[in-house]
Amino acid sequence: MITQGILKTRYLYSEKEKGLVWDTPDNFRQKNGKTLGTNRPDGYLSANIDKKMYLIHRLVWLYHYGEFPNGFIDHIDGDKTNNTIDNLRDVTPEESNRNIPRPADNTSGVVGVSWSTHANMWLSRINHEKRTINLGYFKDFEDAVSARKQAEVNYKYHSNHGREL
């Protein structure tokens, strides 16, 4: 397993490049200052170091703090390629879920607010501790949104939660 010491002998941290860059390339394909990592299908960057695959955001964490994170790494701004240390936080899975973008299939424009054909009203909900909490049915869309936004504050959702992709 890679250590902070090994990372710091081979790579440099670069705010400009939003992650780690090569300091001492180990073959002809690498260049000093070239960003470490390749894009994965899920949008994250990864690198093969000493025949083991690592996610770049976890390496940046190790580089700065000397140990791998305890939980998930959340990209605060939602950009999976922005691995600046100020954009990363070590969180639980539940905390990570409080900072997700608005799903592509969302039709109301607000996470947790949907039209209920059964009640012929707007329904507002929020997830907390692995359960869905019904915040109520509302005649006005704005009231449903207001209830949802207040619940996000109460349950400590990140301010970026529900952003557009």
Side-chain angles (χ1 to χ4, degrees), residues 80-116:
K80 296 175 182 179
T81 63
N82 179 1
N83 294 306
T84 54
I85 195 64
D86 291 341
N87 189 48
L88 305 178
R89 62 186 187 137
D90 185 4
V91 298
T92 66
E94 185 175 9
E95 287 171 314
S96 182
N97 287 336
R98 292 184 199 142
N99 185 23
I100 60 171
R102 186 175 69 228
D105 63 351
N106 178 287
T107 57
S108 73
V110 178
V111 174
V113 175
S114 60
W115 180 254
S116 170

Side-chain angles (χ1 to χ4, degrees), residues 8-162:
K8 289 191 171 193
T9 61
R10 297 182 191 172
Y11 312 103
L12 295 173
Y13 172 75
S14 170
E15 286 278 332
K16 181 182 174 217
E17 299 300 324
K18 299 182 178 180
L20 298 174
V21 297
W22 284 96
D23 184 32
T24 53
D26 58 2
N27 65 49
F28 68 92
R29 289 177 291 173
Q30 273 73 42
K31 304 268 188 272
N32 279 6
K34 183 177 184 247
T35 303
L36 176 66
T38 56
N39 288 317
R40 293 176 8 150
D42 61 5
Y44 291 103
L45 297 173
S46 66
N48 189 332
I49 300 173
D50 299 332
K51 298 181 182 176
K52 182 164 173 37
M53 204 55 120
Y54 295 95
L55 291 168
I56 299 300
H57 54 269
R58 296 181 68 80
L59 292 176
V60 168
W61 193 270
L62 173 65
Y63 189 94
H64 283 273
Y65 299 113
E67 60 187 21
F68 282 104
N70 294 322
F72 284 62
I73 291 292
D74 181 38
H75 289 78
I76 296 168
D77 69 358
D79 179 354
K80 296 175 182 179
T81 63
N82 179 1
N83 294 306
T84 54
I85 195 64
D86 291 341
N87 189 48
L88 305 178
R89 62 186 187 137
D90 185 4
V91 298
T92 66
E94 185 175 9
E95 287 171 314
S96 182
N97 287 336
R98 292 184 199 142
N99 185 23
I100 60 171
R102 186 175 69 228
D105 63 351
N106 178 287
T107 57
S108 73
V110 178
V111 174
V113 175
S114 60
W115 180 254
S116 170
T117 53
H118 168 72
N120 204 28
M121 298 174 87
W122 290 100
L123 170 61
S124 187
R125 299 180 286 204
I126 195 163
N127 292 323
H128 181 65
E129 295 180 351
K130 299 181 183 177
R131 60 187 182 100
T132 301
I133 299 169
N134 186 340
L135 302 172
Y137 290 91
F138 302 87
K139 289 182 181 181
D140 294 322
F141 175 72
E142 292 79 19
D143 292 338
V145 171
S146 179
R148 170 61 192 214
K149 294 300 180 191
Q150 185 57 53
E152 288 179 8
V153 170
N154 294 345
Y155 293 115
K156 298 178 175 37
Y157 274 58
H158 195 277
S159 60
N160 285 344
H161 183 76

